[in-house]
């Protein structure tokens, strides 16, 4: 299978090309440069892989949750490419892609991204038959609202560094370890997308929907003041 994957939902920008099991990727922490980098990287990787856009079987993206602008950018670019070559899209969860950053051997992962505004995007995933599956619905919430039962969880993502590590404190003894610097990669988006394609989950480009989890993108002045007081 030949697939192009795009991930721009966080401060990291990455693009990957999957060709029959082999994956090449460009990845860079590049705030506000996603629009500048994504398309050139896609062209470079396709050339490096020795294929053209029209040889692709599908295009994949991480659909969020994450930065509103980054999520919209990935969808717009992927839709443009997919429509131009008449190929389907595969949209995978950004948090599920992030879960693949956990060390090999982990069985339970809590993936979390800093959502700003005193909240985190969080999703719980378990490994079954070599595949990471969501345990329940992804959420946007204050870290203090986390309820994590059992032990042996591994935490990945910037949500664990946000708000002075509040999510780590809320998880407590349930966490066996944390990688608070982990960011989602397009290579992992590609891995999830290839499996989704095999399950028949590819859809028409115009049907792709972002997963924002919330509608407001900024706090009012009063809300900012209330948040500062709560932290004091």
């Amino acid at each position: 299978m030949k697939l192009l994957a795009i991930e721009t939902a966080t401060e990291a920008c990455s693009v990957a090309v999957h060709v029959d099991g082999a994956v090449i990727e460009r990845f860079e922490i590049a705030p506000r440069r996603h629009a500048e980098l994504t398309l050139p990287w896609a062209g470079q990787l396709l050339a490096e892989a020795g294929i053209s856009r029209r040889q692709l079987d599908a295009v994949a993206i991480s659909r969020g949750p994450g930065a509103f602008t980054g999520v919209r950018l990935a969808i717009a670019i992927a839709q443009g490419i997919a429509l131009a070559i008449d190929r389907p899209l595969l949209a995978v969860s950004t948090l599920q892609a992030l879960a693949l950053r956990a060390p090999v051997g982990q069985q339970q992962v809590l993936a979390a991204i800093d959502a700003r505004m005193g909240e985190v995007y969080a999703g719980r995933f378990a490994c079954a038959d070599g595949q990471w599956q969501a345990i329940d619905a992804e959420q946007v919430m204050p870290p203090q609202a986390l309820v994590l039962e059992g032990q042996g969880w591994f935490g990945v993502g910037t949500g664990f560094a946000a708000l002075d590590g509040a999510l780590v404190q809320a998880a407590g003894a349930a966490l066996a370890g944390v990688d608070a610097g982990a960011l989602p990669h397009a290579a992992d988006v590609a891995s999830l997308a290839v499996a989704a394609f095999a399950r028949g989950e590819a859809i028409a480009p115009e049907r792709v929907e972002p997963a924002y989890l919330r509608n407001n993108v900024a706090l009012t002045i009063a809300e900012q003041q209330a948040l500062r007081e709560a932290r004091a």
Side-chain angles (χ1 to χ4, degrees):
M1 181 183 182
K2 300 174 178 62
L3 180 140
L4 172 69
I6 298 169
E7 206 305 296
T8 59
T10 69
E11 58 266 41
C13 178
S14 61
V15 178
V17 170
H18 174 283
V19 178
D20 301 329
V23 180
I24 52 177
E25 180 190 58
R26 295 281 190 278
F27 175 92
E28 184 178 326
I29 298 175
R32 295 176 295 281
R33 295 186 63 212
H34 299 69
E36 171 191 344
L37 297 174
T38 304
L39 274 175
W41 280 0
Q44 292 164 15
L45 288 172
L46 288 169
E48 187 176 334
I51 62 172
S52 68
R53 290 187 182 185
R54 294 203 170 274
Q55 290 177 279
L56 293 169
D57 295 299
V59 181
I61 56 162
S62 75
R63 65 171 182 262
F68 282 45
T69 301
V71 171
R72 289 196 298 267
L73 175 70
I75 291 177
I77 291 175
Q79 284 177 326
I81 294 173
L83 287 168
I85 61 175
D86 193 24
R87 297 293 187 273
L89 276 184
L90 292 143
V92 305
S93 161
T94 303
L95 290 171
Q96 188 177 14
L98 179 59
L100 271 65
R101 292 285 99 191
V104 174
Q106 299 298 321
Q107 297 299 308
Q108 298 181 119
V109 169
L110 175 64
I113 295 172
D114 185 358
R116 313 299 181 185
M117 298 167 58
E119 295 180 318
V120 296
Y121 298 118
R124 299 189 303 165
F125 300 89
C127 188
D129 299 324
Q131 297 291 326
W132 286 103
Q133 302 294 335
I135 294 175
D136 49 17
E138 298 171 355
Q139 303 178 64
V140 57
M141 61 184 180
Q144 299 82 358
L146 174 72
V147 176
L148 196 61
E149 299 178 351
Q151 293 186 327
W153 290 87
F154 194 90
V156 292
T158 57
F160 289 92
L163 303 167
D164 299 320
L167 193 60
V168 175
Q169 298 172 33
L175 281 180
V178 173
D179 180 358
L183 291 163
H185 281 240
D188 296 325
V189 172
S191 176
L192 293 170
V194 167
F197 188 87
R199 295 192 298 267
E201 296 175 6
I203 61 175
E206 63 271 18
R207 292 182 53 206
V208 173
E209 295 287 343
Y212 290 141
L213 299 190
R214 71 180 178 202
N215 295 320
N216 59 318
V217 298
L219 295 174
T220 65
I221 293 176
E223 288 170 334
Q224 293 175 32
Q225 179 62 32
L227 182 60
R228 286 194 292 269
E229 292 174 354
R231 293 178 186 171

